[in-house]
Amino acid sequence: MTEAVAGPGSGIGTGVGTGGLRVADADRERVASVLERAHAEGRLTLAEYDERVRAAHGAVVAADLAPLTADLPAAPAATPAATPATAPARRPRVTALRVAVAVWAAVSVINLVIWVAVSVGTGGAVAPWWIWVAGPWGAVLALQALGARAGLAPPAPFGCAGSRALRR
């Protein structure tokens, strides 16, 4: 068996900088992410990016990686303020009106299902009594929604002391 001899030009244990040290997969991935960011910023064309990433993944020693990012800035460029396309999606605010509409919809659907079941069970159409539950309640909610869009304050609950404090 032959032993590797550490000597000048062998690249093994030379201690000359870090260019002769073998690189790990993490080093290759770090360089690939720098190249990806540079491509996203428009600093590299697709062909340059592809060529450099292939070279990064084929690198054996640190000297192979150094020239791949030598002409790129070290720190990432400042990112612009979040635009509507990149801003995180905001969840709609839960308001009393949204909760009231959800309750109205649930009760209306339950009443409609009961009405259909009674109609099927009796073998004939029954008067649509569920409209008397859903209709007026829905109309009141629709008026409240229109008032809220117009900037009007919702009415205070009946008999509630300090109702002005509740509206704030």
Side-chain angles (χ1 to χ4, degrees), residues 5-16:
V5 179
S10 69
I12 302 174
T14 59
V16 179

Side-chain angles (χ1 to χ4, degrees), residues 2 6 9 13 25 28 30 33 46 48 63 65 81 87 104 107 125 143 146-147 155 159 164:
T2 61
D25 288 337
R28 293 182 191 96
R30 181 184 45 79
S33 68
L46 182 59
E48 290 172 319
L65 291 177
W104 168 81
V107 169
L143 288 174
L146 289 173
R164 289 179 194 232

Side-chain angles (χ1 to χ4, degrees), residues 78-143:
T79 55
T83 60
T86 61
R90 292 187 326 173
R91 291 179 51 191
R93 206 175 66 180
V94 177
T95 62
L97 183 60
R98 286 181 190 265
V99 171
V101 169
V103 170
W104 168 81
V107 169
S108 297
V109 167
I110 290 170
N111 280 312
L112 180 63
V113 168
I114 292 171
W115 175 77
V116 168
V118 168
S119 294
V120 169
T122 60
V126 177
W129 54 265
W130 60 272
I131 292 176
W132 293 106
V133 175
W137 189 5
V140 168
L141 289 175
L143 288 174

